[in-house]
């Protein structure tokens, strides 16, 4: 009788240990899933820095654009000051290069002055 009771207690303890192992397995799976989620979020948040050749190339392009704009701006100012030397064809080319349309600007100013809506 005593042996049966001891066997029953051992069986219950073994069942309890198995249940605990199953719970630990579930927790380990959840931990692994959480770890994978964190890794994927980190990968998505990572920002790729351009290498030095891309950075240098970008800086050179920006410098070239700024120099071009400065040269065109200076050219436009120089011809604007000397009204007797002002060549209409050259003035038109400079305006086109700078993206300025004096006729369109004058028309918009007149529309604004008259209160006509632009469409």
């Amino acid at each position: 009788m005593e042996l049966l009771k001891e066997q029953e207690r051992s069986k219950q303890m073994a069942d309890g240990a198995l249940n605990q192992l199953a719970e630990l397995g579930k927790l380990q799976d959840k931990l692994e899933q959480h770890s994978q989620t964190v890794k994927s979020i980190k990968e998505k948040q990572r920002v790729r820095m351009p290498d030095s050749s891309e950075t240098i190339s970008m800086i050179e392009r920006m410098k070239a654009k700024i120099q071009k704009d400065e040269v065109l701006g200076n050219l436009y100012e120089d011809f604007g000051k000397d009204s007797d030397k002002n060549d209409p064809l050259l003035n038109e080319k400079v305006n086109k290069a700078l993206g300025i349309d004096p006729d369109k600007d004058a028309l918009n100013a007149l529309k604004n002055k008259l209160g006509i809506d632009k469409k």
Side-chain angles (χ1 to χ4, degrees):
M1 192 68 164
E2 201 57 40
L3 189 57
L4 287 175
K5 286 183 183 180
E6 188 65 32
Q7 206 175 18
E8 184 65 31
R9 271 192 302 219
S10 295
K11 185 179 176 187
Q12 287 177 354
M13 287 176 57
D15 288 344
L18 287 175
N19 286 337
Q20 288 179 349
L21 283 174
E23 288 293 322
L24 284 174
K26 289 178 186 177
L27 288 175
Q28 186 176 5
D29 289 343
K30 284 183 181 180
L31 182 62
E32 192 63 35
Q33 288 175 353
H34 182 69
S35 172
Q36 291 298 325
T37 303
V38 169
K39 284 180 185 178
S40 67
I41 290 172
K42 282 183 180 179
E43 286 296 319
K44 289 178 184 176
Q45 295 297 325
R46 186 171 292 157
V47 175
R48 187 186 75 81
M49 295 299 292
D51 65 4
S52 60
S53 63
E54 289 176 357
T55 304
I56 291 170
S57 173
M58 182 177 61
I59 290 171
E60 288 174 353
R61 285 193 313 268
M62 290 171 62
K63 281 183 180 178
K65 182 179 181 331
I66 290 170
Q67 289 173 349
K68 175 186 161 195
D69 290 346
E70 287 176 352
V71 167
L72 288 173
N74 290 341
L75 183 64
Y76 185 74
E77 285 178 11
D78 289 345
F79 281 100
K81 290 177 185 173
D82 301 330
S83 59
D84 55 330
K85 296 181 183 178
N86 201 355
D87 181 12
L89 184 60
L90 182 60
N91 198 12
E92 183 179 322
K93 287 181 181 180
V94 171
N95 281 337
K96 185 176 181 181
L98 291 173
I100 300 172
D101 187 358
D103 295 334
K104 186 176 180 181
D105 293 340
L107 181 62
N108 287 336
L110 181 61
K111 284 182 178 180
N112 287 338
K113 190 173 185 179
L114 296 175
I116 300 173
D117 291 332
K118 291 187 259 182
K119 291 184 181 178

